[in-house]
Amino acid sequence: MDSGRSDAADPSLAVKIVVAGGFGVGKTTLVGSVSEIRPLRTDEQLTEKSVGVDDLSLVQSKTTTTVAMDFGRITLRTGLVLYLFGTPGQDRFWFMWDELSQGALGAVVLVDTRRLADCFASVDYFERRGVPFIVGINRFDTNTGHSIEAVRDALDLDPAIPVITCDVRQKESGKQVLITLVEHVLTSMAGRRDTVPG
């Protein structure tokens, strides 16, 4: 599947995609790097009230946090439009997740291997709801992290769930994450059709 702007004036299909993961893992960056429109952000400044609540030890340059959602849009060359909804990462904003995930075709769970446990709740959330998802290992430092196999084992993922590495600061890398998700969703849908008695 190729990516980029569609030549067609009217896209054939628009779908909702959720971008999830722990605090400071790169959700806002992914939505912003791939969006063909100016992304909507609901960032607020981190203040002294977050001290002891938000762990900034590995994201010391982070000065803002998403309090509701991020929103962006990307059109694939097939005419498929993805509406991207980035979730807040902190536990205290998880009440937003049900609203943001309603009607989603699939999800991306971003992982920072320096803080792998932060993504467990995201994986559990989509597994419990039967929402197809993939895992994107966001490489903040090419010399840091674990292998794809180690991450898959640590998250106890079904072998069919794709796990890929990415750098969400790079547009093409972010696009590949979304293409991988769409391909996974299509494969999952085809598998369900094949198992339905005819």
Side-chain angles (χ1 to χ4, degrees), residues 28 39-45 64-71 86-88 90 93 96 100:
T28 298
L40 168 68
R41 294 184 173 142
T42 59
D43 287 354
E44 291 293 335
Q45 290 292 318
T64 62
T65 187
T66 301
V67 295
M69 68 171 184
D70 299 306
F71 174 77
T87 65
Q90 299 100 315
F93 296 124
M96 294 287 304
L100 292 176

Side-chain angles (χ1 to χ4, degrees), residues 5-24:
R5 291 299 305 266
S6 171
D7 295 329
D10 297 314
S12 57
L13 182 63
V15 296
K16 181 179 186 178
I17 300 296
V18 175
V19 180
F23 172 68

Side-chain angles (χ1 to χ4, degrees), residues 14-18 81-83 85 99-106:
V15 296
K16 181 179 186 178
I17 300 296
V18 175
V81 175
L82 307 182
Y83 289 106
F85 291 80
E99 196 69 32
L100 292 176
S101 299
Q102 186 173 5
L105 182 73

